[in-house]
DNA sequence: AATCCCAACAACCGCCGTCAC
DNA sequence: TGTGACGGCGGTTGTTGGGAT
């Protein structure tokens, strides 16, 4: 479908080229964030072109939507992708490919944009270093059936050696009703806990369907790891881990 | 201290599917 | 049924901050 020039990729919010010229681009200011948040608090999500129109924000409808979903929305988690989340991303990507929004559904609080960024900046980069096509069957199978189970074992070992810390964490998480380490259930969002749990359940089922010989759920309350300092933000791509992966890939040849 | 480089993240763009008229 | 408006998705680019030189 051909779009009119006036749309500028923004679904035609601004009809005249004169208005289009005044569209703001680049980073959002605190004031803009505030205006957008206030509007959505009052009127709810959706009707993005109306948001731009009625708030006076010189942003496209798409821009408003993106800003809300990726940044302003309550429960959005940014940074510190946990080991479990990293493994989850790898696993789900091996299943669904670049279906970022679908993958994001299984990582409560994470946005498709963040997962996409993680994939491109970390996984693709490592694959390149290993002189491997990130979408090749060899790379994906090695990740999924050899490397990831190994990473999982390590996480479990780490968890069992610091059981006390996990117990403390788990109780803390339960007290906060915070299954995903940062997204706290609130009166305005009472469904978060069950939402996260159902996502986990779905994933557990899909793992067994996949025939994979491991389970990301095997280490107890996986989601609680997300809140644990020391787990959150830990990089899967250490030199040692990459070396192991390299050996596995070499063996496959 | 200045600059360069790179990783991480935010935001934009174009395409596509859906829906209302 | 055709058309336009809109929202969503994935790819890509721009910006920024921190580390290296």
């Amino acid at each position: 479908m051909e779009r009119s020039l006036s749309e500028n990729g923004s679904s035609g919010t601004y009809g005249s080229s004169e208005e289009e010229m005044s569209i703001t681009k680049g980073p959002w200011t605190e004031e803009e964030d505030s205006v957008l948040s206030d509007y959505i608090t009052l009127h709810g999500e959706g009707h993005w072109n109306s948001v731009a129109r009625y708030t006076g924000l010189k942003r496209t409808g798409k821009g408003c939507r993106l800003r809300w979903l990726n940044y302003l929305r309550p429960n959005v988690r940014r940074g510190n992708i946990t080991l479990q989340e990293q493994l989850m991303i790898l696993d789900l990507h091996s299943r669904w490919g670049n279906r970022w929004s679908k993958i994001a559904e299984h990582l409560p609080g994470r946005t498709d944009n963040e997962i996409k960024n993680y994939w491109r900046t970390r996984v693709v980069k490592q694959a390149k270093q290993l002189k491997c096509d990130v979408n090749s069957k060899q790379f994906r199978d090695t990740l999924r059936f050899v490397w990831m189970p190994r990473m999982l074992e390590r996480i479990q070992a780490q968890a069992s050696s610091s059981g006390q810390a996990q117990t403390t964490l788990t109780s803390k998480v339960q007290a906060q009703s915070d299954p995903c380490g940062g997204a706290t259930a609130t009166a305005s969002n009472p469904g978060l806990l069950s939402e996260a749990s159902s996502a986990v359940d779905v994933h557990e089922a899909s793992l067994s369907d996949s025939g994979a010989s491991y389970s990301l759920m095997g280490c107890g309350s996986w989601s609680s790891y997300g809140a644990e300092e020391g787990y959150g933000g830990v990089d899967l791509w250490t030199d040692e881990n990459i070396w192991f992966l390299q050996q596995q890939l070499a063996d496959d040849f």
Side-chain angles (χ1 to χ4, degrees):
Chain A
M1 191 188 302
E2 193 64 28
R3 300 263 175 239
S4 67
L5 286 175
S6 66
E7 286 185 18
N8 191 27
S10 63
S11 304
T13 301
Y14 303 97
S16 73
S17 57
E18 193 176 332
E19 286 175 350
E20 184 200 345
M21 292 299 283
S22 68
I23 288 175
T24 307
K25 291 186 178 181
W28 283 62
T29 64
E30 284 185 25
E31 190 181 351
E32 286 177 313
D33 283 345
S34 176
V35 169
L36 180 57
S37 293
D38 289 349
Y39 183 90
I40 293 173
T41 300
L42 281 175
H43 300 95
E45 295 182 31
H47 309 290
W48 298 108
N49 287 317
S50 300
V51 174
R53 196 177 300 131
Y54 291 121
T55 58
L57 284 171
K58 291 184 168 39
R59 296 281 181 170
T60 65
K62 283 185 174 186
C64 292
R65 173 182 169 271
L66 214 58
R67 184 62 179 174
W68 173 256
L69 292 178
N70 289 338
Y71 195 86
L72 298 174
R73 185 169 49 118
N75 310 321
V76 167
R77 304 173 60 202
R78 295 196 306 280
N80 284 357
I81 294 182
T82 66
L83 281 173
Q84 274 71 18
E85 287 175 319
Q86 292 176 61
L87 286 173
M88 188 80 106
I89 291 168
L90 294 177
D91 178 58
L92 296 178
H93 188 276
S94 73
R95 226 175 286 261
W96 298 324
N98 296 359
R99 300 287 307 281
W100 307 117
S101 60
K102 191 172 173 69
I103 293 171
E105 286 173 13
H106 295 270
L107 292 159
R110 298 295 184 185
T111 67
D112 55 352
N113 207 33
E114 186 168 26
I115 293 168
K116 183 170 56 182
N117 279 332
Y118 168 77
W119 184 263
R120 294 188 63 80
T121 58
R122 314 301 288 282
V123 184
V124 173
K125 188 188 82 176
Q126 297 304 337
K128 274 182 183 170
Q129 279 186 9
L130 294 167
K131 295 180 170 55
C132 220
D133 178 5
V134 74
N135 290 317
S136 68
K137 188 174 188 305
Q138 184 209 8
F139 184 75
R140 288 161 63 162
D141 284 351
T142 304
L143 275 187
R144 191 171 177 190
F145 298 114
V146 181
W147 196 65
M148 287 169 59
R150 175 187 151 96
M151 294 301 107
L152 190 65
E153 278 177 18
R154 295 194 143 210
I155 292 167
Q156 286 174 321
Q158 210 175 349
S160 61
S161 69
S162 58
Q164 190 182 354
Q166 191 191 346
T167 304
T168 306
L169 167 75
T170 304
S171 56
K172 183 172 68 181
V173 164
Q174 285 170 345
Q176 293 178 338
S177 299
D178 183 1
C180 53
T184 304
T186 65
S188 64
N189 189 6
L192 183 62
L193 183 60
S194 58
E195 189 180 303
S197 300
S198 66
V200 168
D201 291 343
V202 166
H203 183 248
E204 188 166 25
S206 65
L207 271 179
S208 57
D209 291 341
S210 73
S213 59
Y214 64 92
S215 166
L216 295 181
M217 307 308 136
C219 52
S221 178
W222 81 275
S223 54
S224 65
Y225 285 106
E228 177 64 77
E229 287 178 28
Y231 289 104
V234 172
D235 191 5
L236 209 55
W237 306 97
T238 62
D239 289 344
E240 186 194 357
N241 290 346
I242 293 168
W243 180 85
F244 177 80
L245 178 58
Q246 198 164 16
Q247 295 306 305
Q248 292 302 318
L249 287 165
D251 289 348
D252 281 353
F253 281 118

